[in-house]
Coordinates of all heavy atoms in Angstrom, one line a residue:
M1 N -16.3 -55.5 74.2 CA -15.2 -56.1 74.9 C -14.4 -56.9 73.9 O -14.9 -57.7 73.2 CB -15.7 -56.9 76.1 CG -14.6 -57.7 76.7 SD -15.2 -58.8 78.0 CE -14.5 -58.0 79.4
V2 N -13.1 -56.8 74.0 CA -12.2 -57.6 73.2 C -11.3 -58.4 74.1 O -10.7 -57.8 75.1 CB -11.3 -56.7 72.3 CG1 -10.3 -57.5 71.5 CG2 -12.2 -55.9 71.3
I3 N -11.1 -59.7 73.8 CA -10.2 -60.5 74.6 C -9.2 -61.1 73.7 O -9.6 -61.6 72.6 CB -11.0 -61.6 75.3 CG1 -12.0 -61.0 76.3 CG2 -10.1 -62.6 76.1 CD1 -12.9 -62.0 77.0
A4 N -7.9 -61.1 74.1 CA -6.9 -61.7 73.2 C -5.8 -62.3 74.2 O -5.9 -62.2 75.4 CB -6.3 -60.7 72.3
Q5 N -4.9 -63.0 73.6 CA -3.8 -63.6 74.4 C -2.5 -63.3 73.7 O -2.4 -63.1 72.5 CB -4.0 -65.1 74.6 CG -3.7 -65.9 73.4 CD -3.8 -67.4 73.7 OE1 -4.8 -67.8 74.3 NE2 -2.9 -68.2 73.2
L6 N -1.4 -63.4 74.5 CA 0.0 -63.3 74.0 C 0.6 -64.6 74.4 O 0.6 -65.0 75.6 CB 0.7 -62.2 74.6 CG 2.2 -62.1 74.2 CD1 2.3 -61.8 72.7 CD2 2.8 -60.9 74.9
N7 N 1.1 -65.4 73.4 CA 1.6 -66.7 73.7 C 3.0 -66.6 74.4 O 3.7 -65.6 74.2 CB 1.8 -67.5 72.5 CG 0.5 -67.9 71.8 OD1 -0.5 -68.0 72.5 ND2 0.5 -68.0 70.5
L8 N 3.3 -67.6 75.2 CA 4.6 -67.6 75.9 C 5.7 -67.7 74.8 O 6.7 -67.1 74.9 CB 4.7 -68.8 76.9 CG 6.1 -69.0 77.5 CD1 6.5 -67.8 78.3 CD2 6.1 -70.2 78.4
F9 N 5.5 -68.6 73.8 CA 6.4 -68.7 72.7 C 5.9 -67.8 71.6 O 4.8 -68.0 71.1 CB 6.5 -70.1 72.2 CG 7.0 -71.1 73.3 CD1 6.1 -71.9 74.0 CD2 8.3 -71.1 73.6 CE1 6.6 -72.7 74.9 CE2 8.8 -72.0 74.6 CZ 7.9 -72.8 75.3
I10 N 6.7 -66.8 71.3 CA 6.3 -65.8 70.3 C 6.6 -66.3 68.9 O 7.6 -66.0 68.3 CB 6.9 -64.4 70.6 CG1 6.6 -64.0 72.0 CG2 6.4 -63.4 69.6 CD1 7.3 -62.8 72.5
I11 N 5.7 -67.1 68.4 CA 5.7 -67.5 67.0 C 4.7 -66.8 66.2 O 3.5 -67.0 66.4 CB 5.5 -69.1 66.9 CG1 6.5 -69.8 67.8 CG2 5.6 -69.5 65.5 CD1 7.9 -69.6 67.5
T12 N 5.1 -65.8 65.5 CA 4.2 -64.9 64.8 C 3.4 -65.6 63.7 O 2.3 -65.2 63.4 CB 4.9 -63.7 64.3 OG1 6.0 -64.1 63.5 CG2 5.4 -62.8 65.4
F13 N 4.0 -66.5 63.0 CA 3.4 -67.3 62.0 C 4.2 -68.5 61.7 O 5.4 -68.6 62.2 CB 3.2 -66.5 60.7 CG 4.5 -65.9 60.1 CD1 5.1 -66.6 59.1 CD2 5.1 -64.8 60.6 CE1 6.3 -66.1 58.6 CE2 6.3 -64.3 60.1 CZ 6.9 -65.0 59.1
S14 N 3.6 -69.5 61.1 CA 4.3 -70.8 60.9 C 5.3 -70.8 59.8 O 6.1 -71.8 59.7 CB 3.3 -71.9 60.8 OG 2.5 -71.7 59.7
E15 N 5.3 -69.9 58.8 CA 6.2 -69.9 57.7 C 7.6 -69.5 58.2 O 7.7 -68.6 59.0 CB 5.7 -69.0 56.6 CG 4.4 -69.5 56.0 CD 4.0 -68.6 54.8 OE1 4.9 -68.0 54.2 OE2 2.9 -68.6 54.5
I16 N 8.6 -70.1 57.6 CA 10.0 -69.9 58.0 C 10.5 -68.7 57.1 O 10.3 -68.7 55.9 CB 10.8 -71.1 57.8 CG1 10.3 -72.3 58.7 CG2 12.3 -70.9 58.1 CD1 10.5 -72.0 60.2
T17 N 11.3 -67.8 57.7 CA 11.9 -66.7 56.9 C 12.9 -67.3 56.0 O 13.7 -68.2 56.3 CB 12.6 -65.8 57.9 OG1 11.6 -65.3 58.9 CG2 13.1 -64.6 57.2
V18 N 12.9 -66.8 54.7 CA 13.8 -67.3 53.7 C 15.3 -67.0 54.1 O 15.6 -66.1 54.8 CB 13.5 -66.5 52.4 CG1 14.4 -66.9 51.2 CG2 12.0 -66.7 51.9
K19 N 16.1 -67.9 53.6 CA 17.6 -67.9 54.0 C 18.2 -66.5 53.7 O 17.9 -65.9 52.6 CB 18.3 -69.0 53.2 CG 19.8 -69.0 53.5 CD 20.5 -70.1 52.8 CE 22.0 -70.1 53.1 NZ 22.7 -71.2 52.4
N20 N 18.9 -66.0 54.7 CA 19.6 -64.7 54.6 C 18.7 -63.5 54.5 O 19.1 -62.4 54.1 CB 20.6 -64.7 53.5 CG 21.7 -65.7 53.6 OD1 22.1 -66.0 54.8 ND2 22.2 -66.2 52.6
K21 N 17.4 -63.7 54.8 CA 16.4 -62.6 54.8 C 16.0 -62.3 56.2 O 16.1 -63.1 57.1 CB 15.2 -62.9 54.0 CG 15.5 -63.1 52.5 CD 15.9 -61.9 51.8 CE 16.2 -62.1 50.3 NZ 16.6 -61.0 49.6
L22 N 15.5 -61.0 56.4 CA 15.0 -60.6 57.8 C 13.5 -60.4 57.7 O 13.0 -60.0 56.7 CB 15.7 -59.3 58.2 CG 17.2 -59.3 58.4 CD1 17.7 -57.9 58.7 CD2 17.5 -60.2 59.6
F23 N 12.9 -60.7 58.8 CA 11.5 -60.4 59.0 C 11.3 -59.6 60.3 O 12.0 -60.0 61.3 CB 10.7 -61.7 59.1 CG 9.2 -61.5 59.5 CD1 8.3 -61.1 58.5 CD2 8.8 -61.7 60.8 CE1 7.0 -60.9 58.8 CE2 7.5 -61.5 61.1 CZ 6.6 -61.1 60.1
F24 N 10.5 -58.6 60.3 CA 10.3 -57.7 61.4 C 8.8 -57.6 61.7 O 8.1 -57.4 60.7 CB 11.0 -56.4 61.2 CG 10.6 -55.4 62.3 CD1 11.2 -55.4 63.5 CD2 9.6 -54.4 62.0 CE1 10.8 -54.4 64.5 CE2 9.3 -53.5 62.9 CZ 9.9 -53.5 64.2
Q25 N 8.4 -57.7 62.9 CA 7.0 -57.4 63.3 C 7.0 -56.7 64.6 O 7.7 -57.0 65.5 CB 6.2 -58.7 63.4 CG 4.8 -58.5 63.8 CD 4.0 -59.8 63.9 OE1 4.5 -60.9 63.7 NE2 2.7 -59.7 64.2
Q26 N 6.1 -55.6 64.6 CA 5.9 -54.8 65.8 C 4.4 -54.9 66.2 O 3.6 -54.7 65.3 CB 6.3 -53.4 65.5 CG 6.1 -52.4 66.7 CD 7.0 -52.8 67.8 OE1 8.2 -52.9 67.7 NE2 6.4 -53.0 69.0
Q27 N 4.2 -55.1 67.4 CA 2.8 -55.2 67.9 C 2.7 -54.3 69.1 O 3.5 -54.2 70.0 CB 2.5 -56.6 68.4 CG 1.2 -56.8 69.0 CD 1.0 -58.2 69.6 OE1 1.5 -59.2 69.0 NE2 0.2 -58.4 70.6
F28 N 1.5 -53.5 69.1 CA 1.2 -52.7 70.3 C -0.1 -53.1 70.8 O -1.1 -53.3 70.1 CB 1.1 -51.2 69.8 CG 2.4 -50.6 69.4 CD1 2.8 -50.4 68.1 CD2 3.3 -50.2 70.4 CE1 4.0 -49.9 67.7 CE2 4.6 -49.6 70.0 CZ 4.9 -49.5 68.7
N29 N -0.2 -53.3 72.1 CA -1.4 -53.5 72.9 C -1.8 -52.3 73.6 O -1.0 -51.8 74.4 CB -1.3 -54.7 73.8 CG -0.9 -56.0 73.1 OD1 -1.3 -56.2 72.0 ND2 -0.1 -56.8 73.7
I30 N -2.9 -51.7 73.3 CA -3.3 -50.4 73.9 C -4.5 -50.6 74.8 O -5.6 -51.0 74.4 CB -3.6 -49.3 72.8 CG1 -2.3 -49.2 71.9 CG2 -4.0 -48.0 73.4 CD1 -2.5 -48.3 70.7
N31 N -4.3 -50.2 76.1 CA -5.4 -50.1 77.1 C -5.0 -49.0 78.0 O -4.7 -47.9 77.5 CB -5.7 -51.5 77.7 CG -4.4 -52.2 78.2 OD1 -3.5 -51.5 78.7 ND2 -4.3 -53.5 78.0
E32 N -5.0 -49.2 79.3 CA -4.6 -48.1 80.2 C -3.1 -47.9 80.1 O -2.6 -46.8 80.4 CB -4.9 -48.4 81.7 CG -4.3 -49.6 82.3 CD -5.1 -50.9 82.1 OE1 -6.2 -50.8 81.5 OE2 -4.6 -52.0 82.4
N33 N -2.4 -48.8 79.6 CA -1.0 -48.7 79.2 C -0.8 -49.1 77.8 O -1.7 -49.6 77.2 CB -0.1 -49.6 80.1 CG 0.0 -49.1 81.5 OD1 0.1 -47.9 81.8 ND2 -0.1 -50.0 82.5
I34 N 0.4 -48.8 77.2 CA 0.7 -49.2 75.9 C 1.9 -50.2 76.0 O 2.9 -49.9 76.6 CB 1.1 -48.0 75.0 CG1 0.0 -47.0 74.9 CG2 1.6 -48.5 73.6 CD1 0.4 -45.7 74.2
E35 N 1.6 -51.4 75.6 CA 2.7 -52.5 75.6 C 3.2 -52.8 74.2 O 2.4 -52.9 73.3 CB 2.1 -53.7 76.2 CG 3.1 -54.9 76.4 CD 2.5 -56.1 77.1 OE1 1.7 -55.9 78.0 OE2 3.0 -57.2 76.8
S36 N 4.5 -52.9 74.1 CA 5.2 -53.1 72.9 C 5.8 -54.5 72.9 O 6.4 -54.9 73.8 CB 6.3 -52.1 72.7 OG 7.1 -52.4 71.6
N37 N 5.6 -55.2 71.8 CA 6.2 -56.5 71.5 C 6.9 -56.5 70.2 O 6.2 -56.2 69.2 CB 5.2 -57.7 71.6 CG 4.5 -57.8 72.9 OD1 5.2 -58.1 73.9 ND2 3.2 -57.5 73.0
T38 N 8.2 -56.8 70.1 CA 8.9 -56.6 68.9 C 9.6 -58.0 68.5 O 10.1 -58.7 69.4 CB 10.1 -55.6 69.1 OG1 9.5 -54.4 69.6 CG2 10.8 -55.3 67.8
N39 N 9.5 -58.3 67.2 CA 10.0 -59.6 66.8 C 11.0 -59.4 65.6 O 10.6 -58.7 64.6 CB 8.9 -60.5 66.3 CG 7.9 -60.8 67.4 OD1 8.2 -61.2 68.5 ND2 6.7 -60.4 67.2
F40 N 12.2 -59.9 65.7 CA 13.1 -60.0 64.5 C 13.4 -61.4 64.2 O 13.7 -62.2 65.1 CB 14.4 -59.3 64.9 CG 14.3 -57.9 65.2 CD1 14.2 -57.4 66.6 CD2 14.4 -56.9 64.2 CE1 14.1 -56.1 66.9 CE2 14.3 -55.6 64.5 CZ 14.2 -55.1 65.9
C41 N 13.3 -61.8 62.9 CA 13.6 -63.2 62.5 C 14.6 -63.1 61.4 O 14.6 -62.3 60.5 CB 12.3 -63.8 62.0 SG 10.9 -63.8 63.1
Y42 N 15.5 -64.1 61.4 CA 16.5 -64.2 60.4 C 16.5 -65.7 59.8 O 16.6 -66.6 60.6 CB 17.9 -63.9 61.0 CG 19.0 -64.0 59.9 CD1 19.2 -63.1 59.0 CD2 19.9 -65.1 60.0 CE1 20.2 -63.2 58.0 CE2 20.9 -65.2 59.0 CZ 21.0 -64.3 58.0 OH 22.0 -64.4 57.1
G43 N 16.4 -65.8 58.5 CA 16.3 -67.1 57.9 C 17.7 -67.7 57.8 O 18.7 -67.1 57.3
L44 N 17.8 -69.0 58.3 CA 19.1 -69.7 58.3 C 19.2 -70.7 57.1 O 20.3 -71.2 56.8 CB 19.3 -70.5 59.6 CG 19.3 -69.6 60.9 CD1 19.3 -70.6 62.1 CD2 20.5 -68.7 60.9
G45 N 18.1 -70.9 56.4 CA 18.1 -72.0 55.4 C 17.7 -73.3 56.0 O 17.6 -73.4 57.2
W46 N 17.6 -74.3 55.2 CA 17.2 -75.7 55.6 C 15.9 -75.6 56.5 O 15.9 -76.4 57.5 CB 18.4 -76.4 56.3 CG 19.6 -76.5 55.5 CD1 19.8 -77.3 54.5 CD2 20.8 -75.7 55.7 NE1 21.1 -77.1 54.0 CE2 21.7 -76.1 54.7 CE3 21.2 -74.7 56.6 CZ2 22.9 -75.5 54.6 CZ3 22.4 -74.1 56.4 CH2 23.3 -74.6 55.4
N47 N 15.0 -74.8 56.2 CA 13.7 -74.6 57.0 C 14.0 -74.3 58.4 O 13.3 -74.7 59.3 CB 12.9 -75.9 56.9 CG 12.1 -76.0 55.6 OD1 11.9 -75.0 54.9 ND2 11.7 -77.2 55.2
M48 N 15.0 -73.4 58.7 CA 15.2 -73.0 60.0 C 15.3 -71.4 60.1 O 15.7 -70.8 59.1 CB 16.6 -73.6 60.5 CG 16.6 -75.1 60.6 SD 18.1 -75.7 61.3 CE 19.3 -75.3 60.0
E49 N 15.0 -70.9 61.3 CA 15.2 -69.5 61.5 C 15.5 -69.2 62.9 O 15.2 -70.0 63.8 CB 14.0 -68.7 61.0 CG 12.8 -68.8 61.9 CD 11.6 -68.0 61.4 OE1 11.6 -67.4 60.3 OE2 10.6 -67.9 62.2
L50 N 16.2 -68.1 63.2 CA 16.6 -67.6 64.5 C 15.8 -66.3 64.7 O 15.7 -65.5 63.9 CB 18.1 -67.3 64.6 CG 18.6 -66.9 65.9 CD1 18.4 -68.0 66.9 CD2 20.1 -66.6 65.8
R51 N 15.2 -66.2 66.0 CA 14.4 -65.1 66.3 C 14.9 -64.4 67.6 O 15.4 -65.0 68.5 CB 13.0 -65.5 66.5 CG 12.3 -66.1 65.3 CD 10.9 -66.6 65.7 NE 10.3 -67.2 64.5 CZ 9.1 -66.9 64.2 NH1 8.3 -66.2 64.9 NH2 8.6 -67.4 63.1
F52 N 14.7 -63.1 67.6 CA 15.0 -62.3 68.8 C 13.7 -61.5 69.1 O 13.2 -60.8 68.2 CB 16.2 -61.4 68.7 CG 16.4 -60.6 69.9 CD1 16.8 -61.2 71.1 CD2 16.2 -59.2 69.9 CE1 17.0 -60.4 72.3 CE2 16.3 -58.5 71.1 CZ 16.7 -59.1 72.3
N53 N 13.2 -61.6 70.3 CA 11.9 -61.0 70.6 C 12.1 -60.1 71.9 O 12.8 -60.6 72.8 CB 10.8 -62.0 71.0 CG 10.7 -63.1 69.9 OD1 10.4 -62.8 68.7 ND2 11.0 -64.3 70.2
I54 N 11.5 -59.0 71.9 CA 11.5 -58.1 73.1 C 10.0 -58.0 73.4 O 9.2 -57.4 72.6 CB 12.1 -56.7 72.8 CG1 13.5 -56.9 72.4 CG2 11.9 -55.9 74.1 CD1 14.1 -55.6 71.9
A55 N 9.6 -58.6 74.5 CA 8.2 -58.7 74.9 C 7.9 -57.9 76.1 O 8.6 -58.0 77.1 CB 7.8 -60.2 75.0
G56 N 6.8 -57.2 76.1 CA 6.3 -56.6 77.4 C 6.8 -55.3 77.8 O 6.7 -54.9 79.0
L57 N 7.4 -54.5 76.9 CA 7.9 -53.2 77.3 C 6.7 -52.2 77.4 O 5.9 -52.1 76.4 CB 8.9 -52.7 76.2 CG 9.6 -51.4 76.6 CD1 10.4 -51.5 77.8 CD2 10.5 -51.0 75.4
Q58 N 6.4 -51.5 78.5 CA 5.2 -50.8 78.7 C 5.5 -49.3 79.0 O 6.5 -49.0 79.5 CB 4.4 -51.3 79.9 CG 3.9 -52.7 79.7 CD 3.1 -53.2 80.9 OE1 3.0 -52.5 81.9 NE2 2.6 -54.4 80.8
T59 N 4.5 -48.5 78.6 CA 4.5 -47.1 78.9 C 3.1 -46.6 79.1 O 2.2 -47.4 78.7 CB 5.2 -46.2 77.8 OG1 5.2 -44.8 78.2 CG2 4.4 -46.3 76.5
N60 N 2.9 -45.5 79.8 CA 1.5 -45.0 79.9 C 1.1 -44.3 78.6 O 1.9 -44.1 77.7 CB 1.4 -44.1 81.1 CG 2.3 -42.9 81.1 OD1 2.8 -42.5 80.1 ND2 2.5 -42.3 82.2
Q61 N -0.1 -43.9 78.5 CA -0.6 -43.3 77.2 C -0.1 -41.9 76.9 O -0.2 -41.5 75.8 CB -2.1 -43.3 77.2 CG -2.7 -44.8 77.0 CD -4.1 -44.8 76.7 OE1 -4.8 -43.8 76.5 NE2 -4.7 -46.0 76.6
K62 N 0.5 -41.3 77.9 CA 1.1 -40.0 77.7 C 2.6 -40.1 77.4 O 3.3 -39.1 77.2 CB 0.9 -39.1 78.9 CG -0.6 -38.8 79.1 CD -0.8 -37.8 80.3 CE -2.3 -37.6 80.5 NZ -2.5 -36.7 81.6
F63 N 3.1 -41.3 77.4 CA 4.5 -41.6 77.2 C 5.4 -40.9 78.2 O 6.5 -40.5 77.8 CB 4.9 -41.2 75.7 CG 4.2 -42.0 74.7 CD1 3.1 -41.5 74.0 CD2 4.6 -43.3 74.4 CE1 2.4 -42.2 73.1 CE2 4.0 -44.1 73.4 CZ 2.9 -43.5 72.8
T64 N 5.0 -40.7 79.4 CA 5.8 -40.0 80.4 C 6.4 -41.0 81.4 O 7.3 -40.6 82.1 CB 4.9 -39.0 81.2 OG1 3.8 -39.7 81.8 CG2 4.4 -37.9 80.3
K65 N 6.1 -42.2 81.3 CA 6.6 -43.2 82.2 C 6.9 -44.5 81.5 O 5.9 -45.1 81.0 CB 5.7 -43.4 83.4 CG 6.2 -44.4 84.4 CD 5.2 -44.6 85.6 CE 5.7 -45.7 86.5 NZ 4.7 -46.0 87.5
L66 N 8.1 -45.0 81.5 CA 8.4 -46.3 80.9 C 8.5 -47.3 82.0 O 9.2 -47.1 83.0 CB 9.8 -46.2 80.2 CG 10.2 -47.5 79.5 CD1 9.3 -47.8 78.3 CD2 11.6 -47.3 78.9
T67 N 7.7 -48.4 81.9 CA 7.6 -49.4 83.0 C 8.4 -50.6 82.5 O 8.1 -51.1 81.4 CB 6.2 -49.7 83.3 OG1 5.5 -48.6 83.6 CG2 6.1 -50.7 84.4
I68 N 9.2 -51.1 83.4 CA 9.9 -52.4 83.2 C 9.5 -53.3 84.3 O 9.9 -53.1 85.4 CB 11.4 -52.2 83.1 CG1 11.8 -51.3 82.0 CG2 12.1 -53.5 83.0 CD1 13.3 -51.0 81.9
N69 N 8.6 -54.2 84.0 CA 8.0 -55.1 85.0 C 9.0 -56.3 85.2 O 8.9 -57.3 84.5 CB 6.7 -55.6 84.6 CG 5.7 -54.5 84.5 OD1 5.7 -53.6 85.2 ND2 4.7 -54.6 83.6
N70 N 9.9 -56.1 86.1 CA 10.9 -57.2 86.4 C 10.9 -57.6 87.8 O 11.8 -58.3 88.3 CB 12.3 -56.8 85.9 CG 12.8 -55.6 86.6 OD1 12.1 -55.0 87.5 ND2 14.0 -55.1 86.2
S71 N 9.9 -57.3 88.6 CA 9.7 -57.7 90.0 C 8.9 -59.0 90.1 O 8.0 -59.2 89.3 CB 9.0 -56.6 90.8 OG 8.7 -57.0 92.0
L72 N 9.3 -59.8 91.0 CA 8.5 -61.0 91.2 C 7.1 -60.7 91.7 O 6.2 -61.6 91.7 CB 9.2 -61.9 92.2 CG 10.6 -62.5 91.7 CD1 11.3 -63.3 92.8 CD2 10.4 -63.4 90.5
N73 N 6.8 -59.5 92.2 CA 5.5 -59.2 92.6 C 4.6 -58.8 91.5 O 3.4 -58.6 91.6 CB 5.6 -58.0 93.6 CG 6.3 -58.4 94.9 OD1 6.2 -59.6 95.3 ND2 7.0 -57.5 95.5
D74 N 5.1 -58.5 90.3 CA 4.3 -58.2 89.1 C 3.6 -59.4 88.6 O 4.0 -60.5 88.8 CB 5.2 -57.6 88.0 CG 5.7 -56.2 88.4 OD1 5.0 -55.5 89.2 OD2 6.8 -55.9 88.0
E75 N 2.5 -59.1 87.8 CA 1.8 -60.2 87.2 C 2.6 -61.0 86.2 O 2.5 -62.2 86.1 CB 0.5 -59.7 86.5 CG -0.5 -59.2 87.5 CD -1.8 -58.8 86.7 OE1 -1.9 -59.1 85.5 OE2 -2.5 -58.0 87.3
N76 N 3.5 -60.4 85.5 CA 4.3 -61.1 84.6 C 5.8 -60.5 84.7 O 6.0 -59.4 85.2 CB 3.8 -61.0 83.1 CG 3.7 -59.5 82.7 OD1 4.1 -58.6 83.3 ND2 3.0 -59.3 81.6
L77 N 6.7 -61.3 84.2 CA 8.1 -60.8 84.3 C 8.4 -60.3 82.9 O 8.5 -61.0 81.9 CB 9.0 -62.0 84.6 CG 8.8 -62.6 86.0 CD1 9.7 -63.8 86.2 CD2 9.0 -61.6 87.1
A78 N 8.5 -59.0 82.7 CA 8.7 -58.4 81.4 C 9.4 -57.0 81.6 O 9.4 -56.5 82.7 CB 7.3 -58.1 80.8
P79 N 10.1 -56.5 80.7 CA 10.2 -57.0 79.3 C 11.2 -58.2 79.3 O 12.0 -58.3 80.1 CB 10.8 -55.9 78.5 CG 11.6 -55.1 79.5 CD 10.8 -55.2 80.8
L80 N 10.9 -59.0 78.3 CA 11.7 -60.2 78.2 C 12.5 -60.1 76.8 O 11.9 -59.9 75.8 CB 10.8 -61.5 78.2 CG 10.0 -61.8 79.4 CD1 9.1 -62.9 79.2 CD2 11.0 -62.1 80.6
G81 N 13.7 -60.4 76.9 CA 14.5 -60.5 75.7 C 14.7 -62.0 75.4 O 15.2 -62.7 76.3
L82 N 14.1 -62.5 74.4 CA 14.0 -63.9 74.1 C 14.7 -64.3 72.8 O 14.4 -63.7 71.8 CB 12.6 -64.4 74.0 CG 11.7 -64.2 75.2 CD1 10.3 -64.5 74.9 CD2 12.2 -65.0 76.4
F83 N 15.6 -65.2 72.8 CA 16.1 -65.8 71.6 C 15.4 -67.1 71.4 O 15.3 -67.9 72.3 CB 17.6 -66.1 71.6 CG 18.5 -64.9 71.4 CD1 19.1 -64.3 72.5 CD2 18.7 -64.4 70.1 CE1 19.9 -63.2 72.3 CE2 19.5 -63.3 69.9 CZ 20.1 -62.7 71.0
T84 N 14.8 -67.3 70.2 CA 14.1 -68.5 69.9 C 14.6 -69.1 68.5 O 15.1 -68.3 67.7 CB 12.6 -68.4 69.8 OG1 12.2 -67.4 68.9 CG2 12.0 -68.0 71.2
F85 N 14.4 -70.3 68.3 CA 14.8 -71.0 67.1 C 13.6 -71.8 66.6 O 12.9 -72.4 67.4 CB 16.0 -72.0 67.5 CG 16.3 -72.9 66.3 CD1 17.1 -72.5 65.3 CD2 15.9 -74.2 66.3 CE1 17.5 -73.3 64.3 CE2 16.2 -75.1 65.3 CZ 17.0 -74.6 64.3
Q86 N 13.4 -71.8 65.3 CA 12.3 -72.5 64.8 C 12.7 -73.3 63.6 O 13.5 -72.9 62.8 CB 11.1 -71.6 64.3 CG 9.9 -72.3 63.7 CD 8.8 -71.3 63.5 OE1 8.2 -70.8 64.5 NE2 8.4 -71.1 62.3
K87 N 12.3 -74.6 63.6 CA 12.6 -75.5 62.5 C 11.3 -76.1 62.0 O 10.5 -76.6 62.8 CB 13.6 -76.6 63.0 CG 13.7 -77.8 62.1 CD 14.6 -77.6 60.9 CE 14.8 -78.9 60.1 NZ 14.9 -78.6 58.7
A88 N 11.1 -76.0 60.7 CA 9.9 -76.6 60.1 C 10.3 -78.0 59.4 O 11.4 -78.1 58.9 CB 9.4 -75.7 59.0
F89 N 9.4 -78.9 59.6 CA 9.6 -80.2 59.0 C 8.4 -80.4 57.9 O 7.3 -80.2 58.3 CB 9.5 -81.3 60.0 CG 10.6 -81.3 61.0 CD1 10.5 -80.6 62.2 CD2 11.8 -81.9 60.7 CE1 11.5 -80.5 63.1 CE2 12.9 -81.8 61.6 CZ 12.7 -81.1 62.8
D90 N 8.8 -80.8 56.7 CA 7.8 -81.1 55.7 C 7.3 -82.5 55.9 O 8.0 -83.4 56.1 CB 8.4 -81.0 54.3 CG 8.8 -79.5 54.0 OD1 8.1 -78.6 54.4 OD2 9.8 -79.3 53.3
I91 N 6.0 -82.6 56.0 CA 5.3 -83.9 56.2 C 4.7 -84.3 54.8 O 3.9 -83.5 54.3 CB 4.3 -83.9 57.3 CG1 5.0 -83.5 58.6 CG2 3.6 -85.2 57.4 CD1 4.1 -83.3 59.8
N92 N 4.9 -85.5 54.4 CA 4.3 -85.9 53.1 C 3.8 -87.3 53.3 O 4.0 -87.9 54.4 CB 5.3 -85.8 52.0 CG 6.6 -86.6 52.2 OD1 6.6 -87.6 52.9 ND2 7.7 -86.1 51.7
D93 N 3.2 -87.9 52.3 CA 2.6 -89.2 52.3 C 3.7 -90.2 52.4 O 3.6 -91.3 53.0 CB 1.8 -89.5 51.1 CG 0.5 -88.6 51.1 OD1 0.1 -88.2 52.2 OD2 0.0 -88.4 50.0

């Protein structure tokens, strides 16, 4: 048995993307359905980055049905298009 979690805030790692560079990450969760989570990050400089995330897009394992869970009766509200911003602060003595 494997147990994992997907955070509400999709911060894939704590390092900030370099200024004017792109970072891309694709994650697939495979069980009775296949769930896709996509992350795009753009470095702004000054230890800041802007992110766009598409979380929770699902299909069945035969790729015959694309599920968009956007009903209030579903366990989660997905897929979610999220813009996030991250700023790192250097801490020293």
